[in-house]
Amino acid sequence: MRIARFSIGDEVAFGVVEGDTVAAIAAHPFGEIRFTGARFPLEKVRLLAPILPSKVVAIGKNYAEHAREMGSEPPVEPVIFSKPSTAVIGPGEAIAYPQKLTQRVDYEGELAVVIGRMCREVPASRVPEVILGYTCANDVTARDLQQRDGQWTRAKGFDTFCPLGPWIETRADPSDLAITTTVNGEVHQSARTSQLMHDVPALIEYVSQVMTLLPGDIILTGTPAGVGPLEIGDEVSVTIESIGTLTNRVAARD
Ligand code: MG
């Protein structure tokens, strides 16, 4: 099932995407789904970020090849950091390039896990029970600030630096999905989620030992090798097998 969040006119709703239509659901997608009966052609609605999380927890250097391209060995334990909820944008929204503050903004295509229920200290074997589904993410990063600051809050925390979408796929098996990032149609990252050093159950177990996860929270699972810069005017797309494609343009920040 594909759960989208969309607007039409002044209304914002969640809905289930079926073919080229979206069937609106009442309230939120956690727990039992109740259809309102309203249905719209997909081309008539605007897809929004599929969820507004209370927090985004991200994993650094979780593909060995990417750790090496960043000049380090893969870490033994997952490296976790967070992005503010205010960084989240939806498909088709612009990534605002803060050109007064950074000269190097990189894309990082990533598989995102959407948490479905409040949980903590979840053993890996029970992780499927707490997941609503999966979506595509771009962990946009001001690489020069990341290196200068020595920690990553500023580099990864700008408004618009966490595109999510286009929807939440609830049926995907995250263990071996193709993930591809293109810039202006050219492939820059191409990998499979089977190359994750710490897989989704291990990550949720690890993160939930630290903090309570709430419905809608996002876990970014790390980016493969091939990161590189974006320029104003670029179009960047993250495609994950059986989920979909998230596309955003890069615009100058006002
Ligand atoms: Mg990342």
Side-chain angles (χ1 to χ4, degrees):
M1 185 165 62
R2 289 180 164 171
I3 297 170
R5 199 171 137 262
F6 66 93
S7 66
I8 184 160
D10 295 335
E11 299 208 11
V12 172
F14 288 98
V16 174
V17 176
E18 293 164 345
D20 54 5
T21 66
V22 57
I25 62 178
H28 56 68
F30 307 107
E32 198 181 332
I33 297 241
R34 198 160 49 82
F35 290 95
T36 67
R39 182 183 288 273
F40 308 98
L42 257 187
E43 61 179 12
K44 297 282 187 207
V45 307
R46 179 166 165 234
L47 291 180
L48 307 173
I51 200 74
L52 296 177
S54 84
K55 58 184 170 292
V56 178
V57 182
I59 313 299
K61 300 176 182 169
N62 199 22
Y63 289 81
E65 282 301 302
H66 171 63
R68 290 193 192 98
E69 80 178 344
M70 299 306 287
S72 55
E73 281 304 305
V76 176
E77 279 193 299
V79 173
I80 72 174
F81 61 97
S82 63
K83 290 170 84 82
S85 57
T86 43
V88 170
I89 58 171
E93 284 190 75
I95 297 166
Y97 195 121
Q99 67 277 6
K100 291 182 186 144
L101 298 168
T102 171
Q103 279 71 55
R104 172 77 189 242
V105 171
D106 282 11
Y107 55 82
E108 292 190 0
E110 307 200 7
L111 171 71
V113 182
V114 185
I115 297 296
R117 50 186 271 200
M118 187 166 93
C119 59
R120 68 183 168 97
E121 296 178 0
V122 185
S125 62
R126 295 193 63 183
V127 161
E129 298 170 36
V130 305
I131 293 177
L132 176 65
Y134 303 88
T135 191
C136 309
N138 194 338
D139 175 18
V140 181
T141 303
R143 196 68 71 198
D144 50 354
L145 302 184
Q146 183 185 29
Q147 283 156 2
R148 199 191 307 166
D149 290 356
Q151 49 81 17
W152 306 353
T153 306
R154 183 166 66 138
K156 289 174 176 282
F158 284 97
D159 289 357
T160 76
F161 272 25
C162 191
L164 297 175
W167 40 59
I168 300 164
E169 174 55 75
T170 62
R171 292 162 306 196
D173 171 358
S175 60
D176 187 24
L177 300 173
I179 175 166
T180 306
T181 307
T182 65
V183 179
N184 304 325
E186 192 177 302
V187 176
H188 288 256
Q189 293 183 293
S190 180
R192 302 195 68 86
T193 57
S194 52
Q195 297 169 273
L196 286 170
M197 288 184 297
H198 305 281
D199 63 12
V200 167
L203 292 176
I204 305 298
E205 178 178 89
Y206 189 84
V207 173
S208 71
Q209 285 172 4
V210 179
M211 61 189 91
T212 298
L213 298 173
L214 300 179
D217 280 355
I218 294 284
I219 312 291
L220 303 184
T221 56
T223 200
V227 296
L230 293 167
E231 305 298 338
I232 292 165
D234 282 349
E235 184 179 83
V236 57
S237 294
V238 179
T239 299
I240 302 178
E241 181 183 1
S242 82
I243 299 175
T245 297
L246 166 68
T247 298
N248 300 88
R249 248 181 198 291
V250 183
R253 182 164 162 177
D254 292 335

